[in-house]
């Protein structure tokens, strides 16, 4: 490692069943990030703005109690299958599987008790922490014992997340991080004036349940075209069917970069604080979600109310409902194979 970086660990309370939860603090000259073993949540990311003022730029809670009550996946690792599976149903190797629906009749983020609600085992690694969860065969209806590993490491101005998984029976996997970023800092305004670029020519249009129709449609000429920088608020209320169905942005973008190789997915600039975020990934898609369902009923860190558009998610992933779309990159994992993906969040100022 090129710069002095520290990793420290502390107790972070107990689960209702008495199981201990820990929190790891990763520190470099530019970034302080905190990760808890409960749901492998990214709890906090503190960076300086262009004037040196430090703030938290992800939404989160002060304590474990907040995460235990959370319904919005703030900073969570979602799995075994992040995003939606239509009606919770899919077929694999001639067998049908049913995940209990938990979102308008569809399965969302791994079903009712996803990976965000488990205590992961953890070990310190150079520059970070590696978390492991073993999900039993049949957990939430998914086949196969899945061993998932998520490694968060800090490298100067970049937070890297490496995901891997293996199984003992054919299954489906789609792991991602569900952080809500707000480059103003969590105590100052919403994300509508922040400027987004997405490296995507196409997206996967959805139906009323936010399930992809299967079409890969061009973004050109729609409010989903972020080839050049646009503020998030500029076209969010546009007279466009897709925007109305989702109540804003909540769509999977088909990234132009090559799956399996690192490519830039997105960048965000906050003209006020000067903070920037760049998202680089090996994944073929990114779900851009503009915090449409945050409705002010959620109170986060320091008593801050999370109203609509308080944060934005850039969830690098395979496309939603891939198990039911043979034209989408496959999310199937077979025994003996290893599933891998890497996403890097780079923080800066301009
Ligand atoms: C994902 C989904 C959204 C919403 C959030 C959680 O990002 O795409 O529709 O369900 O999770 O609130």
């Amino acid at each position: 490692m090129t710069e002095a970086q520290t990793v420290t660990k502390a107790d972070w309370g107990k689960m209702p069943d008495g199981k201990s939860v820990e929190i790891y603090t990763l520190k470099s000259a530019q970034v302080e990030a905190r990760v808890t073993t409960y749901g492998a949540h990214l709890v906090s990311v503190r960076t300086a703005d262009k004037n040196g003022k430090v703030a938290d730029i992800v939404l989160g809670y002060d304590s474990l109690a907040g995460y235990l009550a959370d319904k919005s996946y703030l900073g969570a690792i979602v799995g075994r299958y992040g995003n939606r599976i239509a009606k919770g149903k899919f077929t694999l190797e001639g067998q049908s599987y049913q995940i209990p629906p938990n979102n308008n009749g569809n399965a969302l983020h791994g079903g009712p008790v996803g990976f965000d609600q488990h205590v992961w085992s953890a070990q310190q690694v150079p520059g970070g922490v590696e978390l492991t969860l073993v999900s039993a065969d049949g957990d939430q209806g998914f086949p196969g014992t899945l061993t998932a590993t998520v490694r968060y490491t800090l490298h100067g101005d970049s937070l890297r997340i490496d995901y891997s998984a293996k199984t003992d029976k054919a299954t489906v996997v789609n792991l991602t991080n569900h952080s809500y970023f707000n480059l103003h800092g969590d105590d100052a305004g919403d994300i509508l004036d922040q400027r987004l670029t997405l490296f995507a020519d196409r997206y996967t249009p959805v139906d009323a349940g936010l399930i992809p129709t299967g079409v890969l449609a061009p973004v050109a000429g729609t409010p989903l075209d972020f080839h050049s920088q646009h503020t998030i608020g500029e076209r969010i209320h546009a007279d466009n069917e897709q925007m109305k169905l989702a109540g804003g942005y909540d769509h999977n973008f088909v990234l132009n970069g090559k799956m399996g190789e690192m490519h830039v997915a997105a960048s965000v600039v906050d003209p006020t604080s000067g903070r920037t975020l760049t998202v680089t990934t090996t994944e073929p898609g990114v779900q851009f979600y503009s915090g449409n369902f945050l409705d002010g009923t959620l109170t986060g860190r320091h008593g801050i109310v999370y109203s609509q558009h308080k944060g934005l998610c850039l969830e690098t992933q395979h496309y939603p409902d891939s198990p039911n779309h043979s034209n989408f990159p496959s999310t199937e994992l077979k025994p003996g194979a290893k599933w891998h993906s890497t996403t890097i969040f780079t923080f800066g100022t301009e």
Side-chain angles (χ1 to χ4, degrees):
M1 232 155 289
T2 49
E3 304 167 50
Q5 287 178 183
T6 58
V7 180
T8 52
K9 166 180 145 178
D11 289 338
W12 216 46
K14 287 200 189 320
M15 294 292 288
D17 69 0
K19 203 169 189 174
S20 295
V21 175
E22 291 158 351
I23 191 154
Y24 285 76
T25 302
L26 285 47
K27 233 174 169 158
S28 69
Q30 299 93 332
V31 182
E32 183 194 275
R34 303 181 84 205
V35 173
T36 175
T37 53
Y38 178 66
H41 288 83
L42 179 60
V43 169
S44 152
V45 174
R46 292 173 63 79
T47 69
D49 70 6
K50 63 182 177 194
N51 300 313
K53 182 179 168 258
V54 174
D56 217 312
I57 58 165
V58 294
L59 306 188
Y61 302 102
D62 288 312
S63 66
L64 177 60
Y67 289 91
L68 290 173
D70 178 58
K71 297 270 180 291
S72 296
Y73 306 92
L74 302 192
I77 294 296
V78 290
R80 161 181 325 198
Y81 195 95
N83 217 315
R84 292 174 175 80
I85 297 178
K87 300 189 173 66
K89 286 185 198 300
F90 63 94
T91 306
L92 202 57
E93 301 191 331
Q95 284 260 18
S96 318
Y97 296 97
Q98 174 74 62
I99 315 309
N102 58 336
N103 184 263
N104 299 323
N106 301 311
L108 175 68
H109 297 330
V113 189
F115 285 11
D116 57 299
Q117 293 169 58
H118 287 276
V119 179
W120 296 51
S121 62
Q123 77 176 72
Q124 203 169 310
V125 294
V129 56
E130 184 175 282
L131 301 126
T132 302
L133 183 70
V134 180
S135 165
D137 183 12
D139 181 12
Q140 305 302 297
F142 289 101
T145 312
L146 188 85
T147 305
T149 302
V150 175
R151 178 195 282 240
Y152 288 91
T153 52
L154 204 52
H155 307 265
D157 60 0
S158 295
L159 179 65
R160 175 178 173 129
I161 313 179
D162 290 289
Y163 303 84
S164 61
K166 58 180 192 196
T167 184
D168 62 1
K169 210 190 262 182
T171 190
V172 293
V173 189
N174 199 20
L175 300 176
T176 190
N177 176 276
H178 203 296
S179 286
Y180 291 71
F181 293 96
N182 185 336
L183 299 187
H184 289 315
D186 61 356
D187 58 348
D190 62 34
I191 48 98
L192 295 179
D193 60 347
Q194 297 176 25
R195 305 183 68 84
L196 176 69
T197 308
L198 289 172
F199 296 80
D201 295 344
R202 293 175 297 168
Y203 74 111
T204 50
V206 289
D207 66 15
L210 302 186
I211 298 293
T213 60
V215 174
L216 306 183
V219 294
T222 78
L224 294 98
D225 188 344
F226 283 93
H227 278 113
S228 58
Q229 247 184 35
H230 285 273
T231 66
I232 291 160
E234 193 181 319
R235 300 165 296 175
I236 203 164
H237 301 299
D239 187 13
N240 170 281
E241 195 207 2
Q242 285 295 312
M243 299 299 296
K244 290 193 168 142
L245 285 173
Y249 295 100
D250 195 354
H251 297 86
N252 168 67
F253 288 77
V254 175
L255 295 171
N256 297 339
K258 191 163 179 231
M259 175 169 65
E261 292 175 10
M262 289 303 280
H263 53 266
V264 182
S267 70
V268 187
V269 178
D270 168 24
T272 318
S273 69
R275 285 194 186 86
T276 61
L277 164 67
T278 305
V279 183
T280 314
T281 189
T282 57
E283 283 294 304
V286 67
Q287 181 87 5
F288 165 43
Y289 170 54
S290 53
N292 315 328
F293 297 124
L294 298 175
D295 59 3
T297 53
L298 212 75
T299 301
R301 195 165 27 230
H302 310 317
I304 298 163
V305 172
Y306 291 160
S307 43
Q308 201 180 34
H309 312 311
K310 181 69 184 162
L312 67 93
C313 301
L314 291 163
E315 306 156 53
T316 53
Q317 55 168 8
H318 275 54
Y319 313 159
D321 199 31
S322 293
N324 294 308
H325 295 280
S326 55
N327 60 323
F328 289 179
S330 175
T331 48
E332 193 178 332
L333 180 67
K334 289 198 161 73
K338 200 158 181 190
W339 185 89
H340 271 298
S341 96
T342 297
T343 293
I344 300 180
F345 297 116
T346 302
F347 308 102
T349 51
E350 61 168 45

